[in-house]
Amino acid sequence: MKPINTLDKPFSIRDFVTFDRNGRAYCPNCEQNKGRRPSQKSLAVLESGAYKCHAGCTPDEIRISLGVPKNSSISTSLDVRSLHTLNQATKAMDWLLQGQDEESQWARQWLEQRGISPEIVRHYRLGLVNRNGTTGVSIPIPADESGQHFYQKLRLEPWTSNKSWTQKGVPAMVYFTHKPDQAKQSYLCEGEWDAILLGWAMREVADIAIATFTCGCNVILCPEQLQRLPGQVFIFYDRDEPGQKGAEKLARVLGDRGWIAQVPCKEATPSKGWDISDALNSGFTIEAIRTAARTATRLAELELAQLSRKSKLNYEQCLNRIDEILLIEDTARQLWELNLHYSRGV
């Protein structure tokens, strides 16, 4: 997202606040300061775009409450009307943590079973929302650098047999759950829950960023998004066929930056899609995760092992053939040769 200065794109209160036909609305600063929606629509706007809070809030205070103070940068690619504010995210979190209704109690129990404690809920501002009559656990995805606006990804009624997600308006992007300024490596998980648990566990580690994609393991993000991942990228996708295929696909795009890591597991072949959450909740430590990263493989090494298993050649013969392929100067031709010999099994 390319930011521009608000002097280039004039601030319009209508981009952030929905007014009624009389040009009145609840003031966001009044709502934020009082912790609840005011009883009167004190915010008025004219056709010219000028606005005023009749309860006494200044324009500067209103803009700060919206997360767009004067001289700040906003992104032309964001439709702020479809985003959720920090205040909305906080309200959703409060319902999740403090609600006494059945939905909030079920949601808390479901999260606890996944190893997500109230402290983790507060750290990532997880919440509970009702959309079109269906309740879901919300994951707020930061939409800009201000930390004031969020996309919202929902897991709908996960305490039932429902396995549905809804992420209307959420772009395909990197979602960081831990990103220290001095990060030199990235650990990439397959899903948000894995990234949240690993990000929380790694929050004291200063040189590793933890992230996931909002679009799952089968989609490759645009180069601009991939460049946001610091340093070498260790791909910790689920230990099932879709996860491993997705990891190989991404590693091929990342090139020298991409390393395929195996999620620690006590079984050589897990019976289901074993993921980072399973590993952490079964007792594997951060050091075990870091060891898995240190023993990660590149795609060419993985394909060599696969070729050796499938072919009639012995290991030394495979090595010699790979050495011949790596002497080819054209990288595309190298990959073509590797794929050709792997598919033929010779």
Side-chain angles (χ1 to χ4, degrees), residues 11 22 27 61 74 76 98 145 151 180 182 188 276 313 318:
F11 173 83
N22 297 318
C27 174
E61 289 173 335
I74 60 177
T76 55
Q98 302 173 18
E145 298 298 329
Y151 300 108
Q182 57 271 48
L188 187 70
I276 283 288
L313 303 179
C318 286

Side-chain angles (χ1 to χ4, degrees), residues 29-30 42 52-59 61-62:
N29 189 60
C30 288
S42 60
K52 178 181 179 179
C53 174
H54 291 284
C57 299
T58 68
E61 289 173 335
I62 294 171

Side-chain angles (χ1 to χ4, degrees), residues 184-195:
K184 299 178 181 178
Q185 300 177 350
S186 299
Y187 288 4
L188 187 70
C189 304
E190 182 170 323
E192 286 83 5
W193 303 123
D194 296 332

Side-chain angles (χ1 to χ4, degrees), residues 268-301:
T269 305
S271 58
K272 68 180 187 70
W274 188 262
D275 56 29
I276 283 288
S277 295
D278 293 322
L280 292 173
N281 288 328
S282 65
F284 282 97
T285 64
I286 292 303
E287 186 54 38
I289 304 294
R290 300 188 72 167
T291 298
R294 287 192 290 268
T295 58
T297 58
R298 288 184 175 177
L299 182 62
E301 296 170 347

Side-chain angles (χ1 to χ4, degrees), residues 137-203:
V137 178
S138 65
I139 302 175
I141 312 293
D144 54 26
E145 298 298 329
S146 72
Q148 297 291 322
H149 296 100
F150 303 89
Y151 300 108
Q152 191 177 74
K153 189 166 183 177
L154 294 181
R155 176 68 192 276
L156 302 177
E157 298 183 339
W159 49 87
T160 68
S161 57
N162 192 344
K163 297 183 179 181
S164 300
W165 289 82
T166 179
Q167 55 186 82
K168 182 178 181 181
V170 181
M173 62 182 290
V174 177
Y175 168 42
F176 287 100
T177 56
H178 177 58
K179 190 184 181 186
D181 293 336
Q182 57 271 48
K184 299 178 181 178
Q185 300 177 350
S186 299
Y187 288 4
L188 187 70
C189 304
E190 182 170 323
E192 286 83 5
W193 303 123
D194 296 332
I196 285 170
L197 272 183
L198 187 58
W200 175 257
M202 300 280 281
R203 64 191 183 281

Side-chain angles (χ1 to χ4, degrees), residues 26-38 57 61-67 85-88 90-91 148:
Y26 295 107
C27 174
N29 189 60
C30 288
E31 184 174 357
Q32 193 172 96
N33 287 338
K34 296 178 181 178
R36 59 181 176 81
R37 171 157 287 193
C57 299
E61 289 173 335
I62 294 171
R63 288 191 60 162
I64 290 173
S65 71
L66 292 171
T85 65
L86 178 60
N87 190 40
Q88 289 174 310
T90 301
K91 286 184 176 180
Q148 297 291 322

